Amino acid sequence: MTRNLCNVGTGPILLITAVLCLLSQHQIIAAPPSPGGSSITFAEVTDAAGLDLPLQGLMGHGGAWGDVDGDGDLDLYVGGFADRPDAEYAPADGPVGSMLLLNDKARFRVSPHPDVMYARTSGAVFADLDNDGDLDLYVANNAKPGGKPSDRGERQQRAKPQRSVLYRNDGGQLIDVSQESGACPEALHTARNVGVFDYNNDGLLDLLLIEDRFRKDPRSVLLKNCGDMRFDDVTAAAGLPNDLFGLGHAVADLNEDGRPDFIVGHSNRLFLSQGTDRYVEPESLQSLFAWEPLHGEDWPCGAAFGDLNNDGLLDLVLSIHCETARNKVYLNRGLQQGIPQFADVTEQVGWPASVPAKCPHVELHDFDHDGDLDVFLSAAWRTESSVQPLIMTNLGSSDSGLPRFKAPRSFDSPMVYYPAAPAADFDGDGAVDLFLINWFSGDRCHLLRNTSPAGNWLTVSVRGTSFNRMGIGSRIEVFRPIAERAEQDRTGFLGMRELHIGTGYASGGPASAHFGLGSVDRVDLRVRFPNGVVQWRHDVPVNQALLIAE
């Protein structure tokens, strides 16, 4: 049986523009940079964007950006845990349900859906799973079925057993197809993150549903997309263990075979495709990423791949869900016998031995457009009037190829954390913004507009026909124009990104690759599609959102 979640409407594709008239209402919330520190700054725009009142009282734990109504503006799905005592949702009178917020030129309104979901939502992602050109929505719920009846209210009773949900976008309406699709198995209880990638290169996006270890016999599952919004469990057939547990994940083609590889945080297990429909787990990587916890709540959590030193290799950052968070940076040293060689360089690149706050989520973006990927960890310094997110600013690489990082301030001041914090350019001005999803009673979510002094930029998305329509798995490289180099010469290489969504923990972002370019005003692009075809674009103007169609 299907049910209509919402009628989000349709409309023509619009050019997103920055809403500069809101600047007078902004409060700059990043502390002034210290000498030699970060110049990355943000402005609080939660109220101006219409998000404060709808989200008051939310005990948030998941969220995703995606243009669900096709109007060119990124919309926002926000989910939380709704099974706690009423008092924990103050100033609301009880649990606040998960909701879809529609973006109209940087101003949000709650979608008029009739059935707000009450659940223990622990992640979400927008993805075009049926290749029809609009975004479907997968909501990962951390169900706790069974047990003694709760003495809490009706909303809490509904929330506790609620399984994960898949909504098909049908002409602007989100329709619940969880049961008939096979994408939300009854046995999947404690879902956390949602991986979306085409594991077998058949042009359809598959689902990796990650289950945590906090239940008996946890089992993450790989679901093959069979078309027509139908999914089959291929976990065993793909060579994945039946006891795989985790929290977050990251995806990348690490061994250059044209297929997606992935790592699952907490169990810290990395699986490599072999150019086939099966995965292997190299013992050397298992031992490298093995975690010695400080105590029972020292959990690796989020993960993100990105080229931190612009050498054309994808490095790895792991974020840690612990009040003494020993976040890690692993530099990719290249392939040996088909296995990527990572080195722990956390200390050498200037990271602290630990952060005095949980850091569940992680994303890599060039927030200041200087050409180097910065690292956002979902912790912050907060006072009554300000919030400053933890962004390790990339200062560029040394002669030895090591990237160098600088924290925005010392770690002596009290810090807080945010379980989920998806990043995206919500207002279309070319800078990557942050949405911090609140977990604590009496606090609130924060939409932070990036106001950093910035150079040039380029955002690239891909539309496929023989491969998945979102272009997931495409690799995009940026060079100085060919007039300044030979086409096969990597001199002039400016950066590389792979298109993936759902990286980190409990957070979904748009399928686009964002490049900061400093003073460079025109570039050449090399795009390797998931089917292996390579396309060049020459002399591309910067400061635009570019769509490359197959």
Side-chain angles (χ1 to χ4, degrees), residues 115-245:
D115 53 350
V116 170
M117 182 192 295
Y118 293 101
R120 289 165 47 89
T121 297
S122 190
V125 67
F126 287 102
D128 186 358
L129 298 173
D130 51 6
N131 279 341
D132 66 351
D134 50 29
L135 295 178
D136 311 300
L137 172 63
Y138 196 101
V139 180
N141 289 327
N142 194 258
K144 297 287 186 181
K148 297 180 180 179
S150 172
D151 59 357
R152 298 170 188 169
E154 184 268 341
R155 285 175 284 183
Q156 289 96 329
Q157 296 281 12
R158 288 165 54 190
K160 188 176 178 183
Q162 175 64 58
R163 302 298 207 277
S164 298
V165 180
L166 173 61
Y167 296 104
R168 186 186 75 243
N169 191 334
D170 186 4
Q173 293 186 345
L174 294 181
I175 308 297
D176 184 343
V177 295
S178 308
Q179 185 173 354
E180 59 265 41
S181 68
C184 304
E186 183 68 17
L188 182 73
H189 291 179
T190 57
R192 289 289 181 176
N193 235 46
V194 185
V196 181
F197 50 87
D198 185 1
Y199 90 100
N200 58 354
N201 271 11
D202 66 353
L204 297 171
L205 292 172
D206 310 298
L207 295 172
L208 175 69
L209 307 179
I210 298 172
E211 190 166 58
D212 67 35
R213 74 170 190 183
F214 309 119
R215 62 163 292 193
K216 184 180 179 180
D217 300 324
R219 181 177 181 267
S220 302
V221 294
L222 178 63
L223 300 182
K224 176 184 175 181
N225 189 337
C226 300
D228 196 28
M229 221 58 160
R230 305 278 179 172
F231 294 83
D232 283 343
D233 186 340
V234 293
T235 310
L240 299 179
N242 63 5
D243 61 350
L244 178 60
F245 67 85

Side-chain angles (χ1 to χ4, degrees), residues 55-58 90-91 382 416 418 438 440-446:
L55 297 176
Q56 279 192 0
L58 177 78
R382 187 195 61 192
V416 296
Y418 298 87
N438 173 60
F440 298 100
S441 179
D443 203 349
R444 67 171 187 166
C445 299
H446 298 275

Side-chain angles (χ1 to χ4, degrees), residues 433-461:
D433 312 301
L434 293 174
F435 181 62
L436 309 182
I437 299 179
N438 173 60
W439 174 253
F440 298 100
S441 179
D443 203 349
R444 67 171 187 166
C445 299
H446 298 275
L447 180 61
L448 308 183
R449 182 175 179 270
N450 190 341
T451 57
S452 308
N456 294 326
W457 58 275
L458 183 69
T459 298
V460 182
S461 55

Side-chain angles (χ1 to χ4, degrees), residues 45-69:
V45 296
T46 314
D47 295 347
L51 288 176
D52 183 49
L53 288 177
L55 297 176
Q56 279 192 0
L58 177 78
M59 195 168 187
H61 206 284
W65 293 102
D67 182 8
V68 70
D69 55 5

Side-chain angles (χ1 to χ4, degrees), residues 213 245 264-269 285-302 317-330 344 346 353-354:
R213 74 170 190 183
F245 67 85
V264 176
H266 197 182
S267 59
N268 281 14
R269 301 178 72 172
L285 297 181
Q286 190 171 11
S287 58
L288 173 67
F289 299 128
W291 191 256
E292 292 293 334
L294 299 174
H295 47 70
E297 293 191 359
D298 184 4
W299 310 327
C301 190
V317 178
L318 291 180
S319 58
I320 312 302
H321 192 287
C322 179
E323 291 180 353
T324 306
R326 295 173 294 155
N327 305 299
K328 293 292 184 180
V329 180
Y330 297 91
D344 183 348
T346 309
S354 66

Side-chain angles (χ1 to χ4, degrees), residues 63 89 132 162 172 189 311 345 353 365 396 489 531 537 544:
Y89 301 95
D132 66 351
Q162 175 64 58
H189 291 179
D311 65 352
V345 295
H365 297 284
D489 183 1
N531 60 7
R537 291 286 185 92
Q544 64 164 320

Side-chain angles (χ1 to χ4, degrees), residues 345-492:
V345 295
T346 309
E347 181 179 356
Q348 296 97 303
V349 299
W351 277 42
S354 66
V355 171
K358 296 178 180 179
C359 299
H361 180 53
V362 58
E363 293 192 30
L364 312 183
H365 297 284
D366 187 354
F367 289 98
D368 54 7
H369 290 175
D370 65 353
D372 297 305
L373 283 175
D374 310 300
V375 181
F376 164 64
L377 298 157
S378 62
W381 292 268
R382 187 195 61 192
T383 68
E384 291 185 2
S385 59
S386 69
V387 177
Q388 183 175 14
L390 172 53
I391 294 179
M392 298 297 295
T393 302
N394 192 332
L395 304 178
S397 298
S398 66
D399 292 340
S400 64
L402 281 175
R404 300 166 297 161
F405 290 90
K406 176 76 173 181
R409 56 190 290 183
S410 73
F411 291 94
D412 298 333
S413 304
M415 300 184 72
V416 296
Y417 78 94
Y418 298 87
D425 179 8
F426 83 95
D427 57 359
D429 68 351
V432 178
D433 312 301
L434 293 174
F435 181 62
L436 309 182
I437 299 179
N438 173 60
W439 174 253
F440 298 100
S441 179
D443 203 349
R444 67 171 187 166
C445 299
H446 298 275
L447 180 61
L448 308 183
R449 182 175 179 270
N450 190 341
T451 57
S452 308
N456 294 326
W457 58 275
L458 183 69
T459 298
V460 182
S461 55
V462 173
R463 183 163 60 208
T465 52
S466 67
F467 52 88
N468 70 89
R469 188 179 175 92
M470 296 180 76
I472 299 297
S474 298
R475 176 171 291 189
I476 301 157
E477 296 174 299
V478 176
F479 299 84
R480 294 184 181 276
I482 194 170
E484 303 174 23
R485 59 173 181 82
E487 183 165 298
Q488 302 305 319
D489 183 1
R490 293 191 69 87
T491 301

